[in-house]
Amino acid sequence: MKKIITLILLSQFALMFAQKPAKIYLEQKKDTVGYYVDNTEIYPISISFPQQPEVENMRIPEPFKLIQVIPAKSIKYRITYFVVNDKTKGWKIKKMPNYYTMIGDATVKTYDSNYQYALPFQKGKSFNVYQGYNGTFSHQNENSLDFVMPEGTEITAAREGKVIDAVQTNNKGCPTISCANLANYISILHSDGTIAQYYHLKQNGVKVKIGDTVQKGNPIGISGNTGWTNGPHLHFVCYLPDFTSPKQQKSIKTLFKTGDGSKSEYLTEKKTYAKEYQD
């Protein structure tokens, strides 16, 4: 008779946006023990193990990968299994390492660096980039952009993708890091594995639902002043998941179409950009 033992190991850390920890469990059948994971989310989840498992009188038929990607909506995805060498002797799994999880595919190293993003607001508007890449207020070692804009400004998708997370219940903002977890935001997963986030939205200012597919230029939210902020603005960042980074993400520079849309450029701090094109 098949014997099933279930273990739930909690994630050691969380990203800035909500995430359910992956559920890892083992299943033993005769002389074989398999470890599996369920990912019920609509996005892939990456799992990182700091070291190899330790076993006694067992072998690992397949190389154990320290970073593994669990596809979206996958049940009983096998991450490893062990087989007893000598059935006449005792055997055991001496140590199955703890693990870390993050949203997205952490094995992606290349992305579409030539993609031309649309400015994240409506045609006919123009806004100043108050803080640019590696800004001194809150963008140290981060490729993020802060567009100064009045509360209530309509935010549009800079690129097509799937909405994987959104928060809109917060109503507080302040200029210190103590408010960092109080920002309303939207996270959108792109086809090349990058993830864009739109921060500091107004309370109840999210116009999309988790699971929605949005097109470039679609209205997605309303700007606000929630979270770690010293004034109303939109914080935009695009990143790849990265276990080696202190923030668990590698933020990237993105090309934006500006003016009439005939050229694209990297946006710079203290410069105002107008959008005179329709997405």
Side-chain angles (χ1 to χ4, degrees):
M1 181 178 179
K2 184 166 61 175
K3 180 181 180 182
I4 300 177
I5 307 174
T6 300
L7 299 178
I8 300 178
L9 308 176
L10 297 179
S11 168
Q12 303 300 303
F13 61 77
L15 294 180
M16 289 182 67
F17 53 105
Q19 176 183 341
K20 296 178 181 178
K23 174 188 176 184
I24 287 185
Y25 53 94
L26 65 83
E27 183 176 296
Q28 179 182 338
K29 186 176 182 180
K30 296 182 179 179
D31 61 346
T32 301
V33 177
Y35 278 81
Y36 303 88
V37 60
D38 295 342
N39 177 15
T40 59
E41 305 296 345
I42 61 173
Y43 45 78
I45 289 178
S46 295
I47 299 180
S48 175
F49 298 90
Q51 63 195 64
Q52 294 285 328
E54 297 178 16
V55 296
E56 183 178 304
N57 189 28
M58 302 188 83
R59 58 186 173 87
I60 307 176
E62 300 174 351
F64 182 79
K65 297 179 181 179
L66 294 180
I67 295 181
Q68 302 194 37
V69 181
I70 315 305
K73 294 294 183 181
S74 58
I75 303 299
K76 202 174 181 181
Y77 185 94
R78 190 174 70 188
I79 57 175
T80 192
Y81 70 104
F82 310 99
V83 179
V84 177
N85 282 324
D86 187 345
K87 300 178 184 178
T88 65
K89 298 180 179 180
W91 57 268
K92 64 180 177 179
I93 300 172
K94 297 172 65 176
K95 183 177 182 180
M96 187 66 183
N98 291 330
Y99 64 94
Y100 303 87
T101 67
M102 71 167 53
I103 291 172
D105 186 343
T107 64
V108 173
K109 302 304 179 185
T110 60
Y111 59 95
D112 187 0
S113 59
N114 294 318
Y115 185 90
Q116 296 182 25
Y117 287 72
L119 291 169
F121 44 82
Q122 292 287 7
K123 177 183 177 181
K125 301 288 187 178
S126 62
F127 297 100
N128 182 263
V129 175
Y130 170 75
Q131 186 179 196
Y133 298 144
N134 199 33
T136 57
F137 176 63
S138 59
H139 292 180
Q140 295 92 340
N141 301 312
E142 182 176 299
N143 293 316
S144 300
L145 299 167
D146 284 347
F147 296 90
V148 178
M149 57 178 59
E151 290 190 53
T153 302
E154 189 167 61
I155 304 302
T156 57
R159 181 175 179 176
E160 63 279 354
K162 178 180 286 188
V163 179
I164 59 172
D165 197 28
V167 169
Q168 63 175 343
T169 57
N170 295 309
N171 62 357
K172 180 181 177 181
C174 70
T176 66
I177 198 170
S178 62
C179 289
N181 64 340
L182 298 177
N184 297 317
Y185 62 87
I186 299 168
S187 300
I188 296 178
L189 175 64
H190 305 142
S191 59
D192 60 356
T194 57
I195 298 172
Q197 293 185 304
Y198 305 74
Y199 269 90
H200 308 300
L201 304 182
K202 189 175 181 178
Q203 186 179 34
N204 301 319
V206 174
K207 291 189 171 185
V208 290
K209 301 187 299 296
I210 294 175
D212 283 353
T213 297
V214 298
Q215 300 302 316
K216 181 192 293 187
N218 285 171
I220 59 173
I222 302 296
S223 70
N225 193 30
T226 58
W228 184 11
T229 170
N230 60 357
H233 72 283
L234 171 70
H235 174 93
F236 176 88
V237 62
C238 190
Y239 73 92
L240 284 172
D242 183 2
F243 282 111
T244 65
S245 170
K247 295 183 179 181
Q248 291 84 55
Q249 56 182 242
K250 177 184 178 182
S251 56
I252 61 176
K253 295 181 178 180
T254 51
L255 290 168
F256 280 90
K257 291 194 298 180
T258 58
D260 62 4
S262 60
K263 69 172 184 177
S264 61
E265 59 184 309
Y266 294 115
L267 307 189
T268 57
E269 194 169 281
K270 309 307 181 187
K271 186 175 179 180
T272 297
Y273 294 91
K275 185 177 184 180
E276 301 165 1
Y277 56 87
Q278 191 66 45
D279 300 307

